């Protein structure tokens, strides 16, 4: 079969085809630009160049060869999908390792359990996931955020040890790293749970607001033997009787330890003994029964809610007058508002949980 193929190939071969390289006059290479130079090398449409042979590859001068310079990335995490995130994680891990090594050198680690419990508590407020997403330039998932927060809490514990031991250099170094991840709303978040301090006016009165369920009570308290806090008692013509809207005890039958609710005596406004007992409980716990005059305005709710609101307002007023009573009233759970509220009515029910009577026929 091969005997027939070879003559056939020779007969069908094109007369103009040849295996030898065609002759090109040297004058045609005058306008040809070297490799790596010209618009084609810059991405444009340049002159089409002929294919070089194996012997002609090394005929060009060395400066004609393209010079490729390999640029190394700044960070090893450049080839990952989240270089900024991994760089920050590595930074925190290195800071933790260096802080641990420094504390061990100062013989502050390992810390005994009793010494660790005696450290002042810290309340760090870190950036949330949205803020860290912007800083890390990548989506901060829950697992990644939890990993960063875990490292920050460990570094913050070392910062607490360094600050307590008065290691200023180490404290400043760790503090700079911790400050990078703290939220800008830290001050507002820490002050959120703090109660605003009640200030006494120049007559020695305290003004507080108590709440219980849907009831609220505005309470003014003044000691029985109150004296102006300043030499100037106030504008001329403004007396204590005019401020409270009552007459002097020498002209009326009101005693010096009056408790008025909506300008009505306590026993008349709250006929139920349990409500009156609830109102007087802060005064009895503090041991100051008869030492203050109480004037209040209550609104909303029923008798139980109004008495609880008034008791809450009186307890806050006592703390304003005598800060030493804070611990006693706090242990008695009188300064904290009762969080229980009336459960809302449900659709199809008579009340919150009461159902209508079921009738078969």
């Amino acid at each position: 079969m091969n005997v027939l193929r070879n003559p056939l190939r020779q007969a069908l071969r094109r007369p103009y085809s040849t295996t030898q390289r065609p002759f090109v006059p040297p004058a045609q290479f005058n306008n040809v630009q070297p490799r790596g130079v010209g618009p084609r090398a810059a991405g444009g449409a340049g002159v089409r160049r002929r294919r070089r042979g194996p012997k002609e590859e090394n005929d060009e001068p060395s400066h004609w060869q393209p010079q490729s310079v390999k640029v190394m990335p700044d960070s090893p995490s450049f080839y990952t999908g989240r270089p900024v995130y991994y760089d920050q994680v590595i930074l925190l891990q290195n800071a933790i390792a260096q802080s641990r090594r420094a504390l061990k050198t100062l013989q502050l680690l390992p810390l005994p359990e009793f010494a660790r419990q005696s450290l002042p508590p810290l309340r760090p407020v870190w950036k949330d996931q949205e803020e860290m997403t912007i800083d890390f330039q990548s989506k901060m998932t829950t697992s990644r955020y939890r990993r960063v927060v875990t490292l920050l809490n460990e570094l913050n514990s070392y910062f607490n040890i360094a600050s307590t031991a008065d290691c200023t250099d180490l404290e400043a170094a760790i503090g700079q790293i911790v400050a990078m991840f703290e939220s800008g709303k830290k001050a507002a978040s820490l002050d959120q749970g703090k109660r605003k301090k009640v200030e006494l006016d120049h007559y020695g009165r305290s003004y507080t607001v108590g709440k219980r369920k849907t009831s609220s009570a505005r309470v003014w308290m003044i000691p029985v033997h109150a004296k102006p806090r300043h030499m100037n008692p106030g504008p001329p013509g403004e007396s204590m009787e005019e401020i409270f809207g009552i007459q002097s005890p020498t002209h009326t039958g009101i005693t010096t330890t009056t408790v008025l609710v909506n300008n009505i005596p306590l026993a008349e406004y709250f006929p139920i003994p349990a409500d009156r007992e609830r109102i007087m409980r802060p005064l009895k716990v503090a041991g100051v029964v008869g030492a203050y005059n109480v004037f209040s305005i209550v609104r909303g709710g029923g008798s139980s809610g109004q008495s609880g609101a008034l008791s809450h307002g009186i307890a806050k007023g006592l703390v304003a007058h005598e800060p030493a009573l804070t611990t006693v009233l706090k242990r008695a759970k009188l300064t904290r508002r009762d969080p229980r509220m009336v459960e809302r009515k449900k659709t199809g029910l008579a009340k919150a949980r009461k159902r209508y009577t079921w009738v078969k026929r």
Side-chain angles (χ1 to χ4, degrees):
M1 197 66 179
N2 294 332
V3 177
L4 297 176
R5 284 180 179 176
N6 292 333
L8 184 60
R9 289 176 179 174
Q10 294 292 335
L12 296 178
R13 177 174 292 180
R14 292 172 292 179
Y16 55 83
S17 65
T18 176
T19 57
Q20 297 179 359
R21 187 175 299 278
F23 174 75
V24 180
Q28 294 187 7
F29 292 97
N30 294 335
N31 298 328
V32 177
Q33 298 180 356
R35 181 180 297 179
V37 181
R40 188 174 184 84
V47 180
R48 185 175 182 180
R49 304 174 61 185
R50 67 182 181 85
R51 185 175 182 182
R52 298 177 181 270
K55 293 183 180 180
E56 299 177 355
E57 292 293 338
N58 299 328
D59 294 345
E60 295 180 352
S62 59
H63 66 274
W64 287 0
Q65 299 293 337
Q67 301 295 331
S68 60
V69 179
K70 187 175 181 181
V71 180
M72 298 298 295
D74 298 336
S75 172
S77 305
F78 175 78
Y79 299 101
T80 63
R82 295 172 292 274
V84 180
Y85 168 75
Y86 286 111
D87 288 343
Q88 297 295 335
V89 171
I90 294 173
L91 170 66
L92 292 175
Q93 291 175 349
N94 294 338
I96 290 173
Q98 295 176 4
S99 302
R100 186 187 302 112
R101 192 180 306 112
L103 291 175
K104 286 183 178 179
T105 304
L106 297 172
Q107 298 183 357
L108 296 175
L109 283 180
L111 200 64
E113 187 63 26
F114 71 91
R116 188 177 296 274
Q117 293 179 358
S118 63
L119 292 175
L122 294 179
R123 296 179 57 188
V125 180
W126 309 119
K127 295 181 179 179
D128 54 8
Q129 292 185 230
E130 297 180 358
E131 294 176 342
M132 285 195 179
T133 299
I134 298 174
D135 294 344
F136 288 10
Q137 301 177 8
S138 61
K139 184 179 180 181
M140 183 63 63
T141 59
T142 304
S143 59
R144 298 171 195 160
Y145 181 75
R146 189 181 298 115
R147 180 182 181 185
V148 174
V149 171
T150 302
L151 295 175
L152 288 173
N153 289 333
E154 184 177 359
L155 187 61
N156 197 37
S157 64
Y158 294 155
F159 174 77
N160 192 11
I161 296 174
S163 60
T164 305
D166 199 13
C167 302
T168 55
D169 296 339
L170 182 59
E171 179 184 359
I174 301 177
Q176 292 179 357
I177 302 176
V178 171
M180 296 169 53
F181 300 93
E182 287 185 345
S183 177
K185 305 176 183 177
K186 180 179 179 179
S189 179
L190 295 178
D191 294 340
Q192 187 175 3
K194 293 183 180 179
R195 183 175 298 171
K196 187 177 179 180
K197 185 178 180 180
V198 179
E199 299 290 342
L200 304 180
D201 60 3
H202 56 277
Y203 291 111
R205 297 174 303 180
S206 65
Y207 170 71
T208 56
V209 178
K211 293 185 178 182
R212 171 74 175 97
K213 294 184 179 179
T214 57
S215 304
S216 63
R218 293 183 292 167
V219 182
W220 290 267
M221 293 182 62
I222 184 170
V224 173
H225 302 288
K227 294 182 180 180
R229 300 182 62 187
H230 303 287
M231 297 301 297
N232 186 11
E238 184 179 1
S239 60
M240 299 295 292
E241 293 79 7
E242 295 176 355
I243 295 172
F244 291 107
I246 60 173
Q247 296 181 0
S248 176
T250 57
H251 299 86
T252 61
I254 302 177
T255 60
T256 57
T257 58
T258 301
V259 179
L260 293 180
V261 183
N262 293 350
N263 207 18
I264 300 175
L266 179 64
E268 296 182 12
Y269 192 87
F270 291 101
I272 302 176
D275 295 338
R276 296 197 299 268
E277 186 67 24
R278 188 180 298 110
I279 294 171
M280 297 300 295
R281 189 182 174 213
L283 299 173
K284 292 182 179 179
V285 170
V288 291
V289 177
Y292 294 91
N293 288 326
V294 181
F295 307 91
S296 63
I297 299 176
V298 295
R299 294 288 184 271
S303 61
S304 177
Q306 290 183 356
S307 62
L310 183 55
S311 175
H312 183 216
I314 292 174
K316 292 168 65 176
L318 290 175
V319 172
H321 284 281
E322 301 181 25
L325 299 175
T326 304
T327 305
V328 177
L329 297 174
K330 188 175 181 179
R331 289 181 179 177
K333 300 180 180 180
L334 295 173
T335 56
R336 179 176 177 268
R337 179 190 173 181
D338 192 347
R340 296 176 296 176
M341 297 291 291
V342 179
E343 190 175 352
R344 75 172 189 88
K345 181 185 179 302
K346 275 72 173 182
T347 305
L349 301 182
K351 293 195 302 181
R353 300 186 183 184
K354 180 181 179 182
R355 297 178 179 272
Y356 294 107
T357 305
W358 181 77
V359 180
K360 186 174 183 180
R361 294 180 179 84

